[in-house]
Amino acid sequence: MNKTIIYYTCNEHLSEIDDLARSYLSKIGLPIISVSLNKEINFGNIRIVMYGERSPLMMHRQIVKGLEACRTKYSFLAESDVLYHPSHFDFTPYQATKFYFNVNVWKQKWPENH
């Protein structure tokens, strides 16, 4: 296995969204490193808690902490309020020296169903 999912959360979304996102990710079959802000969560093979205020800087610190814990060649960053299709994780980078970003995104406003 040469891929890991790095899941990061601020723990401030509706629990139904968090639960659904985690449900999708747990079905992928890849190892998961969760980096949670200010509280422990029961999710992932490796569980990291960081303390601080929610901010873009803290989000980046969470990502870096997850990357530091990652031992596989490739990692996928997974946000706590996004539902990822399993095919998202089928991708293997063509070049190990580049970052890749998936721009194939559909958005829905929850719970208004807009």
Side-chain angles (χ1 to χ4, degrees), residues 74-100:
Y74 304 111
S75 57
F76 291 86
L77 303 181
E79 298 182 49
S80 61
D81 61 344
V82 176
L83 305 180
Y84 296 91
H85 189 273
S87 65
H88 176 82
F89 304 95
D90 291 341
F91 177 74
T92 300
Y94 308 113
Q95 296 180 16
T97 58
K98 291 188 177 183
F99 290 94
Y100 293 84

PDB file of all heavy atoms in Angstrom, residues 74-100:
ATOM      1  N   TYR A  74       2.525   8.326  -1.175  1.00  0.00           N
ATOM      2  CA  TYR A  74       1.511   9.283  -1.606  1.00  0.00           C
ATOM      3  C   TYR A  74       0.485   9.500  -0.497  1.00  0.00           C
ATOM      4  O   TYR A  74       0.164   8.590   0.258  1.00  0.00           O
ATOM      5  CB  TYR A  74       0.798   8.784  -2.866  1.00  0.00           C
ATOM      6  CG  TYR A  74       1.737   8.498  -4.001  1.00  0.00           C
ATOM      7  CD1 TYR A  74       1.952   7.192  -4.428  1.00  0.00           C
ATOM      8  CD2 TYR A  74       2.423   9.525  -4.643  1.00  0.00           C
ATOM      9  CE1 TYR A  74       2.832   6.919  -5.468  1.00  0.00           C
ATOM     10  CE2 TYR A  74       3.306   9.258  -5.682  1.00  0.00           C
ATOM     11  CZ  TYR A  74       3.498   7.955  -6.088  1.00  0.00           C
ATOM     12  OH  TYR A  74       4.371   7.695  -7.106  1.00  0.00           O
ATOM     13  N   SER A  75      -0.026  10.719  -0.450  1.00  0.00           N
ATOM     14  CA  SER A  75      -1.072  11.029   0.528  1.00  0.00           C
ATOM     15  C   SER A  75      -2.169  11.848  -0.144  1.00  0.00           C
ATOM     16  O   SER A  75      -1.905  12.631  -1.057  1.00  0.00           O
ATOM     17  CB  SER A  75      -0.487  11.794   1.722  1.00  0.00           C
ATOM     18  OG  SER A  75       0.157  12.964   1.293  1.00  0.00           O
ATOM     19  N   PHE A  76      -3.374  11.630   0.315  1.00  0.00           N
ATOM     20  CA  PHE A  76      -4.539  12.381  -0.140  1.00  0.00           C
ATOM     21  C   PHE A  76      -5.038  13.207   1.034  1.00  0.00           C
ATOM     22  O   PHE A  76      -5.249  12.663   2.119  1.00  0.00           O
ATOM     23  CB  PHE A  76      -5.667  11.438  -0.582  1.00  0.00           C
ATOM     24  CG  PHE A  76      -5.376  10.674  -1.837  1.00  0.00           C
ATOM     25  CD1 PHE A  76      -4.690   9.473  -1.793  1.00  0.00           C
ATOM     26  CD2 PHE A  76      -5.802  11.158  -3.060  1.00  0.00           C
ATOM     27  CE1 PHE A  76      -4.432   8.756  -2.951  1.00  0.00           C
ATOM     28  CE2 PHE A  76      -5.549  10.453  -4.225  1.00  0.00           C
ATOM     29  CZ  PHE A  76      -4.859   9.252  -4.172  1.00  0.00           C
ATOM     30  N   LEU A  77      -5.246  14.491   0.831  1.00  0.00           N
ATOM     31  CA  LEU A  77      -5.811  15.333   1.873  1.00  0.00           C
ATOM     32  C   LEU A  77      -7.318  15.269   1.766  1.00  0.00           C
ATOM     33  O   LEU A  77      -7.883  15.429   0.684  1.00  0.00           O
ATOM     34  CB  LEU A  77      -5.333  16.779   1.713  1.00  0.00           C
ATOM     35  CG  LEU A  77      -3.827  16.986   1.715  1.00  0.00           C
ATOM     36  CD1 LEU A  77      -3.504  18.470   1.561  1.00  0.00           C
ATOM     37  CD2 LEU A  77      -3.202  16.426   2.979  1.00  0.00           C
ATOM     38  N   ALA A  78      -7.990  15.028   2.892  1.00  0.00           N
ATOM     39  CA  ALA A  78      -9.441  14.889   2.910  1.00  0.00           C
ATOM     40  C   ALA A  78     -10.029  15.808   3.972  1.00  0.00           C
ATOM     41  O   ALA A  78      -9.711  15.681   5.155  1.00  0.00           O
ATOM     42  CB  ALA A  78      -9.838  13.439   3.188  1.00  0.00           C
ATOM     43  N   GLU A  79     -10.891  16.708   3.542  1.00  0.00           N
ATOM     44  CA  GLU A  79     -11.544  17.630   4.454  1.00  0.00           C
ATOM     45  C   GLU A  79     -12.755  16.971   5.104  1.00  0.00           C
ATOM     46  O   GLU A  79     -13.395  16.098   4.518  1.00  0.00           O
ATOM     47  CB  GLU A  79     -11.971  18.890   3.709  1.00  0.00           C
ATOM     48  CG  GLU A  79     -10.793  19.644   3.114  1.00  0.00           C
ATOM     49  CD  GLU A  79     -11.220  20.923   2.430  1.00  0.00           C
ATOM     50  OE1 GLU A  79     -11.973  21.706   3.027  1.00  0.00           O
ATOM     51  OE2 GLU A  79     -10.796  21.124   1.287  1.00  0.00           O
ATOM     52  N   SER A  80     -13.097  17.433   6.287  1.00  0.00           N
ATOM     53  CA  SER A  80     -14.157  16.799   7.069  1.00  0.00           C
ATOM     54  C   SER A  80     -15.558  17.100   6.562  1.00  0.00           C
ATOM     55  O   SER A  80     -16.509  16.441   6.974  1.00  0.00           O
ATOM     56  CB  SER A  80     -14.053  17.223   8.536  1.00  0.00           C
ATOM     57  OG  SER A  80     -14.208  18.629   8.647  1.00  0.00           O
ATOM     58  N   ASP A  81     -15.718  18.062   5.680  1.00  0.00           N
ATOM     59  CA  ASP A  81     -17.050  18.402   5.183  1.00  0.00           C
ATOM     60  C   ASP A  81     -17.196  18.132   3.684  1.00  0.00           C
ATOM     61  O   ASP A  81     -18.011  18.736   3.009  1.00  0.00           O
ATOM     62  CB  ASP A  81     -17.378  19.857   5.502  1.00  0.00           C
ATOM     63  CG  ASP A  81     -16.411  20.847   4.857  1.00  0.00           C
ATOM     64  OD1 ASP A  81     -15.321  20.414   4.409  1.00  0.00           O
ATOM     65  OD2 ASP A  81     -16.735  22.043   4.806  1.00  0.00           O
ATOM     66  N   VAL A  82     -16.395  17.190   3.186  1.00  0.00           N
ATOM     67  CA  VAL A  82     -16.428  16.841   1.765  1.00  0.00           C
ATOM     68  C   VAL A  82     -16.681  15.349   1.623  1.00  0.00           C
ATOM     69  O   VAL A  82     -16.103  14.540   2.348  1.00  0.00           O
ATOM     70  CB  VAL A  82     -15.093  17.220   1.071  1.00  0.00           C
ATOM     71  CG1 VAL A  82     -15.087  16.771  -0.379  1.00  0.00           C
ATOM     72  CG2 VAL A  82     -14.851  18.719   1.182  1.00  0.00           C
ATOM     73  N   LEU A  83     -17.554  14.990   0.683  1.00  0.00           N
ATOM     74  CA  LEU A  83     -17.818  13.578   0.381  1.00  0.00           C
ATOM     75  C   LEU A  83     -16.998  13.218  -0.856  1.00  0.00           C
ATOM     76  O   LEU A  83     -17.196  13.800  -1.922  1.00  0.00           O
ATOM     77  CB  LEU A  83     -19.303  13.349   0.115  1.00  0.00           C
ATOM     78  CG  LEU A  83     -20.258  13.799   1.215  1.00  0.00           C
ATOM     79  CD1 LEU A  83     -21.694  13.506   0.805  1.00  0.00           C
ATOM     80  CD2 LEU A  83     -19.920  13.131   2.531  1.00  0.00           C
ATOM     81  N   TYR A  84     -16.092  12.288  -0.692  1.00  0.00           N
ATOM     82  CA  TYR A  84     -15.195  11.891  -1.780  1.00  0.00           C
ATOM     83  C   TYR A  84     -15.671  10.572  -2.379  1.00  0.00           C
ATOM     84  O   TYR A  84     -15.912   9.603  -1.659  1.00  0.00           O
ATOM     85  CB  TYR A  84     -13.767  11.710  -1.255  1.00  0.00           C
ATOM     86  CG  TYR A  84     -13.151  12.984  -0.735  1.00  0.00           C
ATOM     87  CD1 TYR A  84     -13.278  13.345   0.600  1.00  0.00           C
ATOM     88  CD2 TYR A  84     -12.452  13.831  -1.585  1.00  0.00           C
ATOM     89  CE1 TYR A  84     -12.715  14.511   1.084  1.00  0.00           C
ATOM     90  CE2 TYR A  84     -11.883  15.001  -1.110  1.00  0.00           C
ATOM     91  CZ  TYR A  84     -12.028  15.336   0.223  1.00  0.00           C
ATOM     92  OH  TYR A  84     -11.472  16.494   0.692  1.00  0.00           O
ATOM     93  N   HIS A  85     -15.782  10.551  -3.692  1.00  0.00           N
ATOM     94  CA  HIS A  85     -16.112   9.310  -4.389  1.00  0.00           C
ATOM     95  C   HIS A  85     -14.894   8.387  -4.311  1.00  0.00           C
ATOM     96  O   HIS A  85     -13.743   8.857  -4.368  1.00  0.00           O
ATOM     97  CB  HIS A  85     -16.459   9.617  -5.852  1.00  0.00           C
ATOM     98  CG  HIS A  85     -17.012   8.441  -6.571  1.00  0.00           C
ATOM     99  ND1 HIS A  85     -16.212   7.513  -7.197  1.00  0.00           N
ATOM    100  CD2 HIS A  85     -18.282   8.016  -6.732  1.00  0.00           C
ATOM    101  CE1 HIS A  85     -16.963   6.579  -7.729  1.00  0.00           C
ATOM    102  NE2 HIS A  85     -18.233   6.860  -7.472  1.00  0.00           N
ATOM    103  N   PRO A  86     -15.105   7.075  -4.199  1.00  0.00           N
ATOM    104  CA  PRO A  86     -13.959   6.151  -4.123  1.00  0.00           C
ATOM    105  C   PRO A  86     -12.961   6.304  -5.266  1.00  0.00           C
ATOM    106  O   PRO A  86     -11.754   6.118  -5.078  1.00  0.00           O
ATOM    107  CB  PRO A  86     -14.618   4.772  -4.143  1.00  0.00           C
ATOM    108  CG  PRO A  86     -15.984   5.001  -3.592  1.00  0.00           C
ATOM    109  CD  PRO A  86     -16.383   6.383  -4.052  1.00  0.00           C
ATOM    110  N   SER A  87     -13.429   6.673  -6.451  1.00  0.00           N
ATOM    111  CA  SER A  87     -12.516   6.817  -7.595  1.00  0.00           C
ATOM    112  C   SER A  87     -11.518   7.956  -7.392  1.00  0.00           C
ATOM    113  O   SER A  87     -10.473   7.980  -8.045  1.00  0.00           O
ATOM    114  CB  SER A  87     -13.310   7.036  -8.884  1.00  0.00           C
ATOM    115  OG  SER A  87     -14.006   8.274  -8.835  1.00  0.00           O
ATOM    116  N   HIS A  88     -11.814   8.870  -6.498  1.00  0.00           N
ATOM    117  CA  HIS A  88     -10.889   9.975  -6.194  1.00  0.00           C
ATOM    118  C   HIS A  88      -9.529   9.441  -5.748  1.00  0.00           C
ATOM    119  O   HIS A  88      -8.498  10.028  -6.043  1.00  0.00           O
ATOM    120  CB  HIS A  88     -11.509  10.849  -5.095  1.00  0.00           C
ATOM    121  CG  HIS A  88     -10.651  11.966  -4.612  1.00  0.00           C
ATOM    122  ND1 HIS A  88     -10.565  13.165  -5.277  1.00  0.00           N
ATOM    123  CD2 HIS A  88      -9.843  12.066  -3.532  1.00  0.00           C
ATOM    124  CE1 HIS A  88      -9.728  13.963  -4.624  1.00  0.00           C
ATOM    125  NE2 HIS A  88      -9.286  13.320  -3.568  1.00  0.00           N
ATOM    126  N   PHE A  89      -9.536   8.303  -5.059  1.00  0.00           N
ATOM    127  CA  PHE A  89      -8.322   7.734  -4.477  1.00  0.00           C
ATOM    128  C   PHE A  89      -7.636   6.719  -5.393  1.00  0.00           C
ATOM    129  O   PHE A  89      -6.619   6.152  -5.018  1.00  0.00           O
ATOM    130  CB  PHE A  89      -8.645   7.125  -3.113  1.00  0.00           C
ATOM    131  CG  PHE A  89      -9.283   8.126  -2.187  1.00  0.00           C
ATOM    132  CD1 PHE A  89     -10.660   8.210  -2.068  1.00  0.00           C
ATOM    133  CD2 PHE A  89      -8.504   9.006  -1.457  1.00  0.00           C
ATOM    134  CE1 PHE A  89     -11.252   9.154  -1.232  1.00  0.00           C
ATOM    135  CE2 PHE A  89      -9.067   9.950  -0.626  1.00  0.00           C
ATOM    136  CZ  PHE A  89     -10.448  10.022  -0.507  1.00  0.00           C
ATOM    137  N   ASP A  90      -8.191   6.509  -6.582  1.00  0.00           N
ATOM    138  CA  ASP A  90      -7.565   5.612  -7.552  1.00  0.00           C
ATOM    139  C   ASP A  90      -6.353   6.249  -8.214  1.00  0.00           C
ATOM    140  O   ASP A  90      -5.481   5.554  -8.724  1.00  0.00           O
ATOM    141  CB  ASP A  90      -8.565   5.212  -8.646  1.00  0.00           C
ATOM    142  CG  ASP A  90      -9.667   4.313  -8.136  1.00  0.00           C
ATOM    143  OD1 ASP A  90      -9.498   3.700  -7.060  1.00  0.00           O
ATOM    144  OD2 ASP A  90     -10.720   4.239  -8.806  1.00  0.00           O
ATOM    145  N   PHE A  91      -6.302   7.551  -8.213  1.00  0.00           N
ATOM    146  CA  PHE A  91      -5.239   8.291  -8.897  1.00  0.00           C
ATOM    147  C   PHE A  91      -3.879   8.021  -8.257  1.00  0.00           C
ATOM    148  O   PHE A  91      -3.733   8.005  -7.043  1.00  0.00           O
ATOM    149  CB  PHE A  91      -5.537   9.792  -8.846  1.00  0.00           C
ATOM    150  CG  PHE A  91      -4.467  10.640  -9.456  1.00  0.00           C
ATOM    151  CD1 PHE A  91      -4.309  10.696 -10.829  1.00  0.00           C
ATOM    152  CD2 PHE A  91      -3.614  11.372  -8.661  1.00  0.00           C
ATOM    153  CE1 PHE A  91      -3.318  11.481 -11.401  1.00  0.00           C
ATOM    154  CE2 PHE A  91      -2.620  12.167  -9.217  1.00  0.00           C
ATOM    155  CZ  PHE A  91      -2.478  12.220 -10.592  1.00  0.00           C
ATOM    156  N   THR A  92      -2.896   7.797  -9.106  1.00  0.00           N
ATOM    157  CA  THR A  92      -1.502   7.712  -8.670  1.00  0.00           C
ATOM    158  C   THR A  92      -0.740   8.779  -9.446  1.00  0.00           C
ATOM    159  O   THR A  92      -0.824   8.822 -10.679  1.00  0.00           O
ATOM    160  CB  THR A  92      -0.903   6.318  -8.951  1.00  0.00           C
ATOM    161  OG1 THR A  92      -1.659   5.344  -8.240  1.00  0.00           O
ATOM    162  CG2 THR A  92       0.551   6.257  -8.509  1.00  0.00           C
ATOM    163  N   PRO A  93      -0.025   9.647  -8.753  1.00  0.00           N
ATOM    164  CA  PRO A  93       0.688  10.740  -9.433  1.00  0.00           C
ATOM    165  C   PRO A  93       1.632  10.236 -10.518  1.00  0.00           C
ATOM    166  O   PRO A  93       2.279   9.202 -10.374  1.00  0.00           O
ATOM    167  CB  PRO A  93       1.469  11.411  -8.302  1.00  0.00           C
ATOM    168  CG  PRO A  93       0.665  11.111  -7.086  1.00  0.00           C
ATOM    169  CD  PRO A  93       0.121   9.725  -7.303  1.00  0.00           C
ATOM    170  N   TYR A  94       1.710  11.005 -11.589  1.00  0.00           N
ATOM    171  CA  TYR A  94       2.602  10.689 -12.694  1.00  0.00           C
ATOM    172  C   TYR A  94       4.040  11.042 -12.344  1.00  0.00           C
ATOM    173  O   TYR A  94       4.971  10.383 -12.783  1.00  0.00           O
ATOM    174  CB  TYR A  94       2.192  11.458 -13.962  1.00  0.00           C
ATOM    175  CG  TYR A  94       0.740  11.278 -14.316  1.00  0.00           C
ATOM    176  CD1 TYR A  94      -0.143  12.348 -14.235  1.00  0.00           C
ATOM    177  CD2 TYR A  94       0.244  10.042 -14.713  1.00  0.00           C
ATOM    178  CE1 TYR A  94      -1.482  12.189 -14.559  1.00  0.00           C
ATOM    179  CE2 TYR A  94      -1.091   9.879 -15.030  1.00  0.00           C
ATOM    180  CZ  TYR A  94      -1.951  10.950 -14.956  1.00  0.00           C
ATOM    181  OH  TYR A  94      -3.271  10.794 -15.254  1.00  0.00           O
ATOM    182  N   GLN A  95       4.201  12.107 -11.570  1.00  0.00           N
ATOM    183  CA  GLN A  95       5.526  12.562 -11.162  1.00  0.00           C
ATOM    184  C   GLN A  95       5.519  12.788  -9.653  1.00  0.00           C
ATOM    185  O   GLN A  95       4.643  13.473  -9.135  1.00  0.00           O
ATOM    186  CB  GLN A  95       5.904  13.861 -11.863  1.00  0.00           C
ATOM    187  CG  GLN A  95       6.027  13.732 -13.359  1.00  0.00           C
ATOM    188  CD  GLN A  95       6.398  15.064 -14.009  1.00  0.00           C
ATOM    189  OE1 GLN A  95       6.834  15.985 -13.353  1.00  0.00           O
ATOM    190  NE2 GLN A  95       6.213  15.139 -15.316  1.00  0.00           N
ATOM    191  N   ALA A  96       6.481  12.235  -8.971  1.00  0.00           N
ATOM    192  CA  ALA A  96       6.543  12.348  -7.516  1.00  0.00           C
ATOM    193  C   ALA A  96       6.963  13.736  -7.049  1.00  0.00           C
ATOM    194  O   ALA A  96       6.871  14.042  -5.869  1.00  0.00           O
ATOM    195  CB  ALA A  96       7.498  11.299  -6.952  1.00  0.00           C
ATOM    196  N   THR A  97       7.390  14.578  -7.963  1.00  0.00           N
ATOM    197  CA  THR A  97       7.863  15.911  -7.584  1.00  0.00           C
ATOM    198  C   THR A  97       6.799  16.988  -7.744  1.00  0.00           C
ATOM    199  O   THR A  97       7.092  18.167  -7.598  1.00  0.00           O
ATOM    200  CB  THR A  97       9.086  16.297  -8.429  1.00  0.00           C
ATOM    201  OG1 THR A  97       8.715  16.250  -9.809  1.00  0.00           O
ATOM    202  CG2 THR A  97      10.256  15.366  -8.149  1.00  0.00           C
ATOM    203  N   LYS A  98       5.564  16.603  -8.042  1.00  0.00           N
ATOM    204  CA  LYS A  98       4.487  17.578  -8.255  1.00  0.00           C
ATOM    205  C   LYS A  98       3.335  17.328  -7.294  1.00  0.00           C
ATOM    206  O   LYS A  98       3.096  16.206  -6.855  1.00  0.00           O
ATOM    207  CB  LYS A  98       3.957  17.485  -9.690  1.00  0.00           C
ATOM    208  CG  LYS A  98       4.936  17.958 -10.718  1.00  0.00           C
ATOM    209  CD  LYS A  98       4.289  18.019 -12.074  1.00  0.00           C
ATOM    210  CE  LYS A  98       5.261  18.564 -13.097  1.00  0.00           C
ATOM    211  NZ  LYS A  98       4.657  18.715 -14.405  1.00  0.00           N
ATOM    212  N   PHE A  99       2.605  18.405  -7.004  1.00  0.00           N
ATOM    213  CA  PHE A  99       1.366  18.316  -6.256  1.00  0.00           C
ATOM    214  C   PHE A  99       0.229  18.244  -7.268  1.00  0.00           C
ATOM    215  O   PHE A  99       0.257  18.914  -8.291  1.00  0.00           O
ATOM    216  CB  PHE A  99       1.164  19.555  -5.373  1.00  0.00           C
ATOM    217  CG  PHE A  99       2.109  19.640  -4.233  1.00  0.00           C
ATOM    218  CD1 PHE A  99       3.291  20.355  -4.343  1.00  0.00           C
ATOM    219  CD2 PHE A  99       1.822  19.012  -3.032  1.00  0.00           C
ATOM    220  CE1 PHE A  99       4.175  20.441  -3.287  1.00  0.00           C
ATOM    221  CE2 PHE A  99       2.696  19.086  -1.975  1.00  0.00           C
ATOM    222  CZ  PHE A  99       3.866  19.804  -2.097  1.00  0.00           C
ATOM    223  N   TYR A 100      -0.789  17.462  -6.954  1.00  0.00           N
ATOM    224  CA  TYR A 100      -1.957  17.343  -7.819  1.00  0.00           C
ATOM    225  C   TYR A 100      -3.188  17.745  -7.030  1.00  0.00           C
ATOM    226  O   TYR A 100      -3.289  17.459  -5.840  1.00  0.00           O
ATOM    227  CB  TYR A 100      -2.105  15.903  -8.336  1.00  0.00           C
ATOM    228  CG  TYR A 100      -0.989  15.503  -9.275  1.00  0.00           C
ATOM    229  CD1 TYR A 100       0.221  15.022  -8.785  1.00  0.00           C
ATOM    230  CD2 TYR A 100      -1.143  15.624 -10.653  1.00  0.00           C
ATOM    231  CE1 TYR A 100       1.248  14.669  -9.647  1.00  0.00           C
ATOM    232  CE2 TYR A 100      -0.119  15.263 -11.520  1.00  0.00           C
ATOM    233  CZ  TYR A 100       1.069  14.790 -11.008  1.00  0.00           C
ATOM    234  OH  TYR A 100       2.080  14.432 -11.868  1.00  0.00           O
TER     235      TYR A 100
END
